[in-house]
Amino acid sequence: MRYLALFILSFLFWLLLTFDLSPINLAVGAVAALITSLLFGKYFYERVYKFLQPQRYFWFLIYIIILIWECIKANFDVAYRVLHPAMPIKPGIVKIKLELQSEFARAMLANSITMTPGTITVDIVGDDLFVHWIYVSSEDPEQYSRKITGRFEKYIKKTFE
Amino acid sequence: MVSTILIVIGVLFNLIGCIGLIRFPDVYNRLQSATKCGTLGTCSILAGTLFHFGFTDAGIKAIIAIPLIFFGATVAAHALVRGAYHFGIKLGDKSVKDDYKDVAK
């Protein structure tokens, strides 16, 4: 089942990438997608039926909009710190408790964190997420967890879990 | 017109990213500036390309490159930070907190 899903996804990706509907191109794309899905199918997202639940696409759209907004904010934040003569940074690695369970949702959360203001995911050990933060603004774990993950966690839960 | 503005913004952000790469004190902060500014800068240039060409083959390719860069940059940043830490590179002098120290061993 997941081999089939990966095949369809990679074939669509090929079509978008080449943007050409001639039979030769379709054949090459099908072969390439087949090889990809045979090699990497076993690493793919397990519960494929979730692709067919429409409400997930709705939440995905909202998640993307929030992510782009946060991403733009992140850039202005880092640009400000780069250009400021005194360089206002206070870096450190903080530990955050994860509430998401599935592997895929965790990976998406880690990616989102890397894109948001001044934070890079370093590692996941058990249920803890380690994040390098360019400006550690508070000492209280509750508060900074909410600051870093709070914006995304519920949308990622609805979209990917 | 829109495409020119987007491309100019993109180049500016890439420039700021490079300045940050030189100014920041340690490898972790440098990666912050390289990933963030680099990603938005490049995505902005690609969006400018899309506006310039419209929904032709070049424009569509520009759209597809955006998620690729997005995932590539984030995963690369994570791998570099983690690799640097395990290699034994210390956090810079300005650092205030290190929760990862005990777990990394």
Side-chain angles (χ1 to χ4, degrees):
Chain A
M1 199 49 205
R2 55 174 140 161
Y3 287 87
L4 186 67
L6 184 56
F7 177 79
I8 292 169
L9 275 181
S10 36
F11 191 60
L12 279 177
F13 187 72
W14 170 271
L15 286 185
L16 282 174
L17 200 62
T18 53
F19 217 65
D20 176 16
L21 283 177
S22 67
I24 292 181
N25 190 46
L26 290 181
V28 174
V31 171
L34 190 69
I35 294 172
T36 314
S37 51
L38 285 181
L39 282 178
F40 297 106
K42 61 172 182 278
Y43 304 114
F44 195 59
Y45 194 43
E46 288 145 27
R47 282 150 297 193
V48 181
Y49 62 89
K50 287 184 176 169
F51 276 108
L52 301 176
Q53 298 172 337
Q55 76 272 22
R56 287 181 190 273
Y57 290 95
F58 170 71
W59 289 113
F60 184 65
L61 207 67
I62 292 180
Y63 162 69
I64 289 284
I65 291 168
I66 290 175
L67 186 68
I68 291 173
W69 173 239
E70 290 293 334
C71 192
I72 293 169
K73 255 170 52 188
N75 278 274
F76 279 102
D77 184 72
V78 174
Y80 163 74
R81 292 186 202 292
V82 168
L83 297 177
H84 195 285
M87 218 166 32
I89 58 171
K90 204 161 88 177
I93 295 179
V94 295
K95 185 168 90 172
I96 291 168
K97 264 245 155 318
L98 274 175
E99 277 163 31
L100 299 167
Q101 294 307 319
S102 82
E103 294 269 303
F104 191 74
R106 284 179 171 189
M108 289 310 288
L109 182 69
N111 271 341
S112 317
I113 286 174
T114 304
M115 291 321 294
T116 48
T119 47
I120 289 184
T121 311
V122 180
D123 204 356
I124 292 180
V125 181
D127 273 347
D128 297 326
L129 186 68
F130 293 90
V131 173
H132 180 266
W133 200 0
I134 205 167
Y135 194 83
V136 181
S137 58
S138 81
E139 288 294 309
D140 179 25
E142 280 281 307
Q143 215 176 345
Y144 61 65
S145 314
R146 208 170 53 239
K147 224 169 181 169
I148 293 177
T149 63
R151 286 165 299 210
F152 302 113
E153 209 156 23
K154 63 172 184 244
Y155 298 108
I156 290 181
K157 208 179 177 85
K158 282 179 173 138
T159 312
F160 298 109
E161 194 145 76
Chain B
M1 190 59 202
V2 182
S3 60
T4 318
I5 294 172
L6 278 172
I7 291 175
V8 167
I9 291 174
V11 172
L12 272 178
F13 268 115
N14 274 345
L15 177 70
I16 292 172
C18 294
I19 296 174
L21 199 63
I22 297 166
R23 280 200 75 195
F24 278 152
D26 62 352
V27 61
Y28 306 99
N29 291 310
R30 285 179 169 164
L31 271 171
Q32 296 262 14
S33 120
T35 47
K36 307 245 157 51
C37 294
T39 312
L40 190 85
T42 315
C43 287
S44 176
I45 292 174
L46 287 169
T49 318
L50 169 69
F51 275 101
H52 184 78
F53 287 104
F55 284 92
T56 56
D57 54 348
I60 298 285
K61 275 170 198 165
I63 301 186
I64 308 174
I66 290 177
L68 287 183
I69 286 184
F70 181 85
F71 283 107
T74 47
V75 172
H78 152 72
L80 282 168
V81 166
R82 189 167 179 275
Y85 201 100
H86 282 270
F87 190 66
I89 296 169
K90 298 222 164 34
L91 289 164
D93 300 332
K94 282 189 171 180
S95 305
V96 290
K97 207 167 162 59
D98 188 1
D99 286 345
Y100 191 45
K101 196 163 48 189
D102 311 322
V103 199
K105 292 292 167 294

